[in-house]
Amino acid sequence: MPAFLRFRPSLFLLPIILMLPVRFVFAAGDAGPPLTIARAIEKASRQHPRIEAHDARVDGAKARVTQARAGFLPRAHVSEKFDRTTNPMWAFGTRLNQASITEPDFDPDRLNNPDAIQNFNTVLGVTWPVYDRGQTRHGVRQAEMGEVAAGLFLDQARRQVIADAAVAYFGVLIGQETLSVVDQSLKSARAHLKMAQDRFDGGFVVKSDLLRARVRISQLTQERFQAESGLAVARAALNAAMGEPVDREYHLATPLAAGNGIDTPLEPWVEASLAHRADYLGMKQQEAIAAEEIRKTRAAHLPSVDLFGNYEINSEDWSDTADNYTLGAMVRLDLYSGGRDAARTREARAALKDIRALLREMEDGIRVQTREAFLQAKSAWGRIGAAGAAVSEAEENLRIVSDRYRNGLLTIVDLLDAEVALDQSRKNRFQALHDYKTSLARLALVTGTIDETFMGEGPCCIH
């Protein structure tokens, strides 16, 4: 079978391909207001649903502090009760409370078989836990540490959202550059198709050269469709990262530029990670809360002291009332709780052991994540330079090969190989740029140094 027949299925696309413009107009790429990376990050940190959720958790933590502190304060209550009884003891006591006892009330028959009596009872009571075995004091400390932990987790969530928005922004940029590379390749391929057509018309090459050039355009056109769909997905991902509707359109205004390289060695980055990672610091707060829980359960074995007072009004029909008051103090010591308090202490110790094990695992993970992001950034930075040189060499190679093919010194296969090499070198350069930018975002995230000022131009400052 002749070689050119192996490409015959692609020939059905030729009428459509040859009618396509050199550069497609991709609406989502050009429409909409300009969007810088700084603006994208600002939008994400302000309106992403994850931030809203963590804000609510911080509000909940603040409310728990207020609840815990309320344990230091006295509690006041008022109650109103109505009852009607023929119970001998309660009937006589009710008359006493109403200050309505008369001499006939001491008649044994009346004492044993009293008439029904009703009573309206109003009570204003106050209780004050002067010492509750330290439960409130320890609870306040835990609630305050919980508020700090919630704030730290909010910070980490904001940093994660910022990193996600930056990575999504770079994803759109690489999608645009990929589309641009394919368009450049299509332009070059059409020029070479014309060259092959001229040489074929002049009888200098066989028809297979012409067919190979057309198939190359067919392949690039399919690549362009894929690049367009990939760019559309990247734009939707960026909108989601910013907390915007996924179909909103923006024109990205920050270019995909190399920026600065990393000169700082690895160790300061690792130290920054352990010092600034908000989620790690939040887990340290959880460790402190668990340690406080042990002290809280131990204090449960101590006595408690409460003050109380009641002011009471009793009346049968509100035509006449009687009042009284009660003041007192109570000391209570639990002698036996069925092992409950001791079991609570063992449970708290187990929880602390669990958190400390997770902290060790998290610390090792942070060290690995920092090392990985650092080395990936260094690797990508080196690839940028190498890929840039490769692009220049591939462009020069294609120029030479094109001239030699035009003069009949090389075959169409050599020309197409040179095209593919240039196409791949351009993609490699943009991919290296993208990888460096995303590695910088991840490095700033894992070290806890990323914030709203992140631009992806170079490494963040290590404090």
Side-chain angles (χ1 to χ4, degrees):
M1 177 184 295
F4 73 91
L5 291 179
R6 291 196 295 268
F7 301 94
R8 188 171 295 275
S10 300
L11 298 180
F12 291 105
L13 295 174
L14 290 179
I16 298 175
I17 294 169
L18 296 178
M19 294 174 62
L20 292 173
V22 173
R23 182 172 181 84
F24 289 36
V25 176
F26 186 55
D30 299 324
L35 179 71
T36 63
I37 187 172
R39 178 61 174 159
I41 287 174
E42 187 273 331
K43 282 177 173 287
S45 61
R46 175 171 49 85
Q47 62 189 27
H48 195 280
R50 195 182 308 164
I51 302 300
E52 182 180 352
H54 279 274
D55 274 333
R57 293 172 191 174
V58 170
D59 291 341
K62 291 178 179 178
R64 284 190 289 274
V65 173
T66 301
Q67 293 176 52
R69 288 174 178 168
F72 290 122
L73 303 176
R75 297 177 180 85
H77 68 275
V78 63
S79 66
E80 181 68 34
K81 182 176 70 172
F82 170 80
D83 60 66
R84 182 179 177 86
T85 183
T86 59
N87 180 283
M89 183 182 69
W90 289 110
F92 189 79
T94 297
R95 288 189 180 278
L96 281 175
N97 287 336
Q98 293 175 353
S100 61
I101 289 289
T102 60
E103 185 175 346
D105 291 323
F106 291 94
D107 181 1
D109 289 337
R110 192 167 183 176
L111 286 173
N112 292 327
N113 299 287
D115 295 332
I117 186 171
Q118 67 183 25
N119 185 57
F120 292 93
N121 174 255
T122 304
V123 177
L124 175 63
V126 178
T127 59
W128 188 6
V130 178
Y131 179 68
D132 63 352
R133 301 171 294 182
Q135 300 304 292
T136 295
R137 176 167 50 86
H138 293 297
V140 169
R141 290 177 182 173
Q142 289 178 309
E144 290 173 343
M145 288 185 286
E147 181 182 1
V148 173
L152 288 168
F153 291 132
L154 170 61
D155 289 343
Q156 184 62 25
R158 181 174 287 107
R159 292 171 184 175
Q160 182 67 62
V161 164
I162 289 172
D164 291 346
V167 170
Y169 193 95
F170 299 142
V172 175
L173 289 178
I174 187 64
Q176 290 178 339
E177 297 297 351
T178 299
L179 189 60
S180 176
V181 167
V182 175
D183 283 339
Q184 291 180 59
S185 298
L186 269 170
K187 182 178 179 180
S188 178
R190 289 192 176 95
H192 293 151
L193 173 61
K194 184 178 184 306
M195 187 190 304
Q197 182 71 56
D198 292 342
R199 290 182 56 77
F200 175 73
D201 293 342
F204 298 108
V205 297
V206 295
K207 189 174 183 179
S208 61
D209 278 20
L210 188 61
L211 295 179
R212 281 179 181 271
R214 289 175 176 173
V215 169
R216 168 66 175 163
I217 294 177
S218 173
Q219 293 171 339
L220 288 172
T221 302
Q222 294 176 61
E223 286 185 26
R224 195 182 196 288
F225 288 136
Q226 292 176 344
E228 280 186 336
S229 62
L231 179 56
V233 172
R235 288 185 177 279
L238 174 58
N239 283 329
M242 295 189 298
E244 294 280 351
V246 295
D247 57 350
R248 185 159 293 176
E249 297 178 356
Y250 291 101
H251 169 68
L252 271 60
T254 302
L256 189 64
N260 303 315
I262 297 178
D263 297 325
T264 312
L266 173 61
E267 275 310 309
W269 292 98
V270 175
E271 294 172 3
S273 297
L274 297 176
H276 299 144
R277 275 283 290 267
D279 54 345
Y280 179 69
L281 298 177
M283 281 294 291
K284 294 288 253 182
Q285 289 294 316
Q286 296 289 347
E287 178 188 25
I289 291 172
E292 190 70 23
E293 182 65 21
I294 295 177
R295 291 187 285 270
K296 183 178 180 181
T297 58
R298 286 174 176 171
H301 297 283
L302 300 175
S304 63
V305 179
D306 294 288
L307 299 179
F308 61 88
N310 288 327
Y311 175 71
E312 185 175 337
I313 299 175
N314 293 278
S315 174
E316 184 172 11
D317 55 9
W318 292 107
S319 62
D320 193 16
T321 62
D323 61 352
N324 62 80
Y325 71 87
T326 302
L327 297 176
M330 182 178 69
V331 178
R332 173 174 173 169
L333 176 64
D334 292 338
L335 299 178
Y336 179 67
S337 63
R340 180 188 61 189
D341 293 336
R344 286 180 58 201
T345 301
R346 292 195 301 272
E347 179 187 10
R349 286 174 177 164
L352 178 60
K353 185 177 180 180
D354 177 24
I355 290 177
R356 284 177 173 170
L358 292 176
L359 269 172
R360 290 195 302 272
E361 180 186 14
M362 189 175 187
E363 183 175 335
D364 291 340
I366 288 173
R367 292 181 184 275
V368 172
Q369 292 168 10
T370 305
R371 182 178 297 271
E372 179 184 16
F374 178 85
L375 294 177
Q376 285 179 345
K378 295 283 284 186
S379 171
W381 178 255
R383 284 162 46 209
I384 290 173
V391 169
S392 299
E393 293 169 354
E395 288 174 343
E396 179 63 15
N397 178 61
L398 180 59
R399 186 189 66 78
I400 294 172
V401 171
S402 297
D403 290 342
R404 300 190 70 182
Y405 176 75
R406 186 179 295 106
N407 295 324
L409 300 177
L410 292 176
T411 66
I412 190 66
V413 174
D414 297 315
L415 181 60
L416 295 180
D417 286 345
E419 279 186 13
V420 171
L422 176 58
D423 179 64
Q424 190 59 51
S425 65
R426 286 171 174 166
K427 290 179 180 178
N428 289 343
R429 179 176 180 275
F430 288 123
Q431 188 63 53
L433 284 170
H434 170 266
D435 291 349
Y436 181 62
K437 294 290 192 179
T438 56
S439 296
L440 285 179
R442 293 190 181 100
L443 182 59
L445 174 63
V446 299
T447 55
T449 57
I450 196 169
D451 57 24
E452 286 82 355
T453 64
F454 178 79
M455 297 291 291
E457 296 178 346
C460 298
C461 297
I462 303 178
H463 303 288

